[in-house]
Amino acid sequence: MTVPGEVVAAVEDPRRPGPVAAVAESVAALLGVPARILHTDDDDVVSRVLEEVRSTSMLVLGSRHANRWSGKHSVAEQCLDGHDGPTMVVGPRSAGALGEGDVLVPLDGSSAALAAVPFARELATRLARGVSTVRVVPPDGGSGRTSPEPVEPHPGPLDLRVEIVVSDDVIDGLAEVVAEADPACVVMSSRGDRSHRRSTISRVCTGLIAASTRPVVVVPESGGEPVQRNG
């Protein structure tokens, strides 16, 4: 997967494109690629949007209905699940612009979550930002601990140092980190799994989109391939 040949903002009203178009145009300018506004009156909005974007397009959407339990009735999240490239979602609490900090990558210990890291690093380079990683653990740390180490080294080729945050709720903990750190955006990987109530990293995407004050970029689980530079 590459990021991107273009940035495509899908909007409901082209006369009032709002923060979705503003974010798309800002990101496109920083990446040095074209921005395109997409609007469709088709009854099947999801199919039409997915026909208009390529795997090398970054799709930018707004979502007023994202929540942690179900995305089945959200047009934005159906587009997110169907797009095989990166999708940036501006949620209902989002400031509608990139933050001043690093690109933030939430991790949960799974290889699926780690798939977002190479993409996030290259995106951060293109945005002239750093990359921060965070993992939310319950108060007992899953092993009887009450005060886990604040930073967890992650061995291997990715060479990560992961900030540990203790919270009873993964989504609330991540939302607090976003509010405090003001990242440029959050980058997560997702399998598009809406069938379970358990807060897997895929499930957390939905809730964080609803709670985050900054845009959330979701890449497919297979999207760990580094971004290719234009030119």
Side-chain angles (χ1 to χ4, degrees):
M1 183 178 65
T2 60
V3 175
E6 62 174 354
V7 178
V8 180
V11 302
E12 294 181 4
D13 186 347
R15 297 166 298 182
R16 302 174 61 186
V20 171
V23 168
E25 290 171 354
S26 173
V27 171
L30 289 168
L31 296 179
V33 300
R36 177 163 59 99
I37 304 298
L38 174 62
H39 167 70
T40 177
D41 292 320
D42 289 13
D43 292 335
D44 189 349
V45 174
V46 175
S47 294
R48 183 59 176 167
V49 168
L50 295 177
E51 287 174 359
E52 289 287 334
V53 294
R54 301 179 292 273
S55 61
T56 54
S57 303
M58 176 179 282
L59 179 60
V60 183
L61 305 167
S63 177
R64 297 191 299 270
H65 307 296
N67 66 77
R68 69 176 68 196
W69 304 123
S70 176
K72 294 178 181 178
H73 302 294
S74 166
V75 169
E77 291 184 46
Q78 290 179 63
C79 290
L80 184 157
D81 287 345
H83 182 37
D84 57 0
T87 304
M88 175 177 283
V89 186
V90 180
R93 296 187 59 194
S94 175
L98 299 184
E100 297 296 323
D102 292 344
V103 171
L104 179 67
V105 184
L107 301 174
D108 66 354
S110 70
S111 59
L114 286 170
V117 174
F119 177 92
R121 282 177 166 168
E122 188 63 24
L123 179 62
T125 298
R126 296 279 293 275
L127 296 176
R129 305 293 180 92
V131 174
S132 297
T133 54
V134 62
R135 181 177 180 183
V136 177
V137 299
D140 66 355
S143 59
R145 295 180 299 169
T146 56
S147 56
E149 292 296 323
V151 176
E152 175 185 82
H154 190 286
L158 292 177
D159 189 24
L160 300 175
R161 289 180 62 80
V162 183
E163 180 184 0
I164 301 299
V165 173
V166 179
S167 176
D168 287 317
D169 185 274
V170 174
I171 294 168
D172 289 347
L174 290 175
E176 290 177 8
V177 171
V178 173
E180 292 174 3
D182 192 30
C185 60
V186 181
V187 176
M188 306 179 72
S189 64
S190 175
R191 293 182 293 273
D193 179 7
R194 313 282 176 203
S195 61
H196 302 289
R197 294 173 67 87
R198 177 175 174 269
S199 289
T200 62
I201 199 69
S202 298
R203 196 45 121 177
V204 170
C205 289
T206 308
L208 188 58
I209 286 168
S212 177
T213 53
R214 291 300 177 187
V216 176
V217 181
V218 181
V219 297
E221 184 182 348
S222 59
E225 183 178 325
V227 180
Q228 294 181 3
R229 296 178 183 276
N230 291 339

